[in-house]
Amino acid sequence: YYRGDNPGGFCPQSQNSLLLENNQVMRRVKVLVSGRVQGVYFRLFTQNKAKHFAVRGSVRNLPDGRVEIIAEAEHVTIEKFIKWCHKGPVTARVDHVEIIELQADEILTGFEIK
């Protein structure tokens, strides 16, 4: 796709991204957060932060004690959201964050706690 701010003007588009009409590349990721992240309102804080950043997706507790977040937004926004996930809310202790790129084949709406 074409980007005027890139020398040469063209940038490769990841197969895991969705190019919108306004040339914003959407990125969808699965974020797996481990540490003290259950029973500390991590999902609620995550939903609030997602709404703040206009990130769409969902968050849920996993049986193994981790929290799983599916998040979709413009690339720069996702980076900011992932940075927050590494810290989490003050009530939590984040030990490890794993990021898995997902296929962005459709646009998600809203951000829900599952």
Side-chain angles (χ1 to χ4, degrees), residues 40-92:
V40 292
Y41 300 101
F42 194 96
R43 292 177 298 160
L44 180 62
F45 280 102
T46 301
Q47 182 185 49
N48 289 340
K49 190 57 72 170
K51 288 180 179 180
H52 171 78
F53 283 129
V55 170
R56 292 168 299 282
S58 62
V59 60
R60 69 181 180 130
N61 286 338
L62 296 177
D64 64 5
R66 295 180 297 170
V67 167
E68 176 191 74
I69 304 163
I70 304 297
E72 179 180 86
E74 191 268 329
H75 183 80
V76 172
T77 302
I78 284 292
E79 288 299 316
K80 292 176 184 175
F81 183 71
I82 289 171
K83 184 176 180 181
W84 177 85
C85 290
H86 279 86
K87 294 185 301 185
V90 296
T91 56

Side-chain angles (χ1 to χ4, degrees), residues 10-58:
F10 289 91
C11 294
Q13 180 179 346
S14 167
Q15 292 179 335
N16 293 337
S17 63
L18 180 66
L19 183 63
L20 298 181
E21 293 172 1
N22 63 357
N23 283 338
Q24 295 296 312
V25 177
M26 299 302 285
R27 180 177 171 203
R28 184 179 299 176
V29 294
K30 179 188 291 187
V31 182
L32 297 170
V33 185
S34 44
R36 192 182 74 222
V37 293
Q38 290 190 11
V40 292
Y41 300 101
F42 194 96
R43 292 177 298 160
L44 180 62
F45 280 102
T46 301
Q47 182 185 49
N48 289 340
K49 190 57 72 170
K51 288 180 179 180
H52 171 78
F53 283 129
V55 170
R56 292 168 299 282
S58 62

Side-chain angles (χ1 to χ4, degrees), residues 90-109:
V90 296
T91 56
R93 185 194 74 244
V94 175
D95 293 336
H96 182 72
V97 176
E98 180 181 355
I99 310 298
I100 301 165
E101 298 291 330
L102 299 176
Q103 184 70 32
D105 51 2
E106 63 185 50
I107 297 174
L108 302 172
T109 58

Side-chain angles (χ1 to χ4, degrees), residues 2-11:
Y2 178 78
R3 261 184 49 190
D5 62 336
N6 183 45
F10 289 91
C11 294

